[in-house]
Amino acid sequence: MNNNKIGILDSGLGGLSVLNELLKILPNEDYLFYEDSINNPYGEKCDEEILEIVSKIVDYLLEKGCKIIVLACNTATTSCLKKLREIYPNTIFVGTVPALKVSFDHNFKNTLLLATPYTIKSTRVEELINDFKQSNQNIYLESGRNLAHLIELGDTKGIEELLKEILTPYKDTIDSIVLGCTHYPLVKESFKKILPNCEILDGALGVSCEVKHQLIVNNLLSDSVKNGNVIIENSKSEDLVDRSYKILSNIC
Ligand code: DGL
């Protein structure tokens, strides 16, 4: 048993989509979610920059005594999870990858992956496609361009215009869309408007189940019977922290 916090990080509010699932399946745990809005977007940075930024946050979360670190960010995971495991051999990390396996396993024939410019080109995405896609299935890859940043800024008009531009050409082709960035599920309603008959998938449940599994096998579950505490910190401003608590209470 271990009642220390679960540490979560993302380049901003996107990690809320993961935290929301974690709270459902691990309600008695305490959480420290570090939103790195000042460095958003990660998806337009290179490996070296992402590793440098993310390592600093990992150091901070470990200083705060976190018992496990959740990269609630597809970009950070596909870019530097392997390196982080080498640098911090005694730390348990759980990463987030696009839910391509879920889409292929459910036999969707035409899947669109929408992710950050970094993730879409990553070797991890290539591996997931090679490992799980059947020969009778098609995969389309699209960069969400600056969508994560628009979501971070709360620019509703910009989000709707960009989604329309990116998704309209796929509207009659795809039966499933994988949201390969943790920011995207926060505007799921905008996706539904353009793709009303399409299955919308994301990785939050998969990550949360893996976190639970890691806590069980490492004997790190909390023995508290009360609802856990959630602390949110933001590298840019306190106002963004208030906004995130509000979003979390609306989606929970
Ligand atoms: N939320 C992040 C992800 O899942 C990254 C968004 C960004 O900073 O580009 O990829």
Side-chain angles (χ1 to χ4, degrees):
M1 294 299 154
N2 182 318
N3 290 4
N4 287 349
K5 297 179 191 64
I6 293 176
I8 305 174
L9 68 90
D10 181 41
S11 67
L13 83 170
L16 291 172
S17 59
V18 174
L19 176 57
N20 180 45
E21 281 303 323
L22 279 165
L23 286 166
K24 289 183 199 158
I25 69 165
L26 290 166
N28 306 122
E29 298 289 337
D30 288 340
Y31 296 90
L32 172 55
F33 172 32
Y34 190 88
E35 303 178 320
D36 191 17
S37 297
I38 201 137
N39 288 308
N40 179 283
Y42 284 2
E44 289 164 37
K45 294 185 171 28
C46 66
D47 283 326
E48 289 71 27
E49 282 174 289
I50 298 173
L51 180 63
E52 194 185 331
I53 292 167
V54 171
S55 308
K56 282 192 188 132
I57 304 172
V58 170
D59 287 340
Y60 176 71
L61 294 173
L62 292 176
E63 261 167 44
K64 294 279 171 183
C66 292
K67 58 185 172 184
I68 185 168
I69 307 286
V70 183
L71 303 186
C73 177
N74 294 262
T75 308
T77 303
T78 51
S79 165
C80 66
L81 178 59
K82 279 190 192 144
K83 286 209 186 74
L84 288 172
R85 287 191 170 131
E86 283 166 23
I87 301 170
Y88 303 88
N90 301 322
T91 301
I92 305 166
F93 289 97
V94 175
T96 309
V97 292
L100 286 168
K101 181 177 188 305
V102 180
S103 189
F104 296 138
D105 286 356
H106 283 78
N107 273 323
F108 288 106
K109 291 286 177 282
N110 292 290
T111 299
L112 171 65
L113 169 64
L114 190 71
T116 64
Y118 183 93
T119 302
I120 217 78
K121 291 200 208 115
S122 68
T123 36
R124 189 74 189 97
V125 161
E126 217 177 295
E127 286 166 5
L128 290 167
I129 296 169
N130 290 339
D131 290 350
F132 302 114
K133 190 178 87 58
Q134 307 288 320
S135 55
N136 64 344
Q137 295 177 309
N138 298 312
I139 177 77
Y140 305 91
L141 305 179
E142 270 293 337
S143 160
R145 304 177 215 167
N146 63 338
L147 180 61
H149 194 57
L150 294 173
I151 296 170
E152 190 64 30
L153 299 176
D155 178 353
T156 312
K157 191 160 172 270
I159 294 165
E160 304 232 320
E161 279 171 11
L162 181 59
L163 280 183
K164 217 173 192 172
E165 195 183 315
I166 297 176
L167 300 179
T168 306
Y170 291 101
K171 174 155 112 4
D172 301 322
T173 314
I174 55 168
D175 47 7
S176 144
I177 179 167
V178 174
L179 308 186
C181 166
T182 54
H183 279 66
Y184 301 170
L186 299 173
V187 295
K188 208 171 183 173
E189 290 310 311
S190 305
F191 281 91
K192 278 191 194 155
K193 269 193 220 162
I194 308 170
L195 302 170
N197 303 317
C198 192
E199 188 72 21
I200 301 176
L201 302 168
D202 69 67
L205 179 62
V207 182
S208 306
C209 291
E210 180 58 19
V211 172
K212 185 171 184 178
H213 172 73
Q214 288 300 327
L215 294 182
I216 292 170
V217 297
N218 290 290
N219 197 21
L220 290 173
L221 277 174
S222 163
D223 62 2
S224 165
V225 288
K226 297 185 303 196
N227 278 346
N229 274 325
V230 174
I231 297 172
I232 300 176
E233 294 184 13
N234 191 295
S235 56
K236 192 171 174 188
S237 87
E238 269 306 304
D239 291 349
L240 292 176
V241 172
D242 295 341
R243 179 180 75 169
S244 288
Y245 281 121
K246 273 190 204 123
I247 294 173
L248 192 63
S249 64
N250 286 336
I251 53 176
C252 268

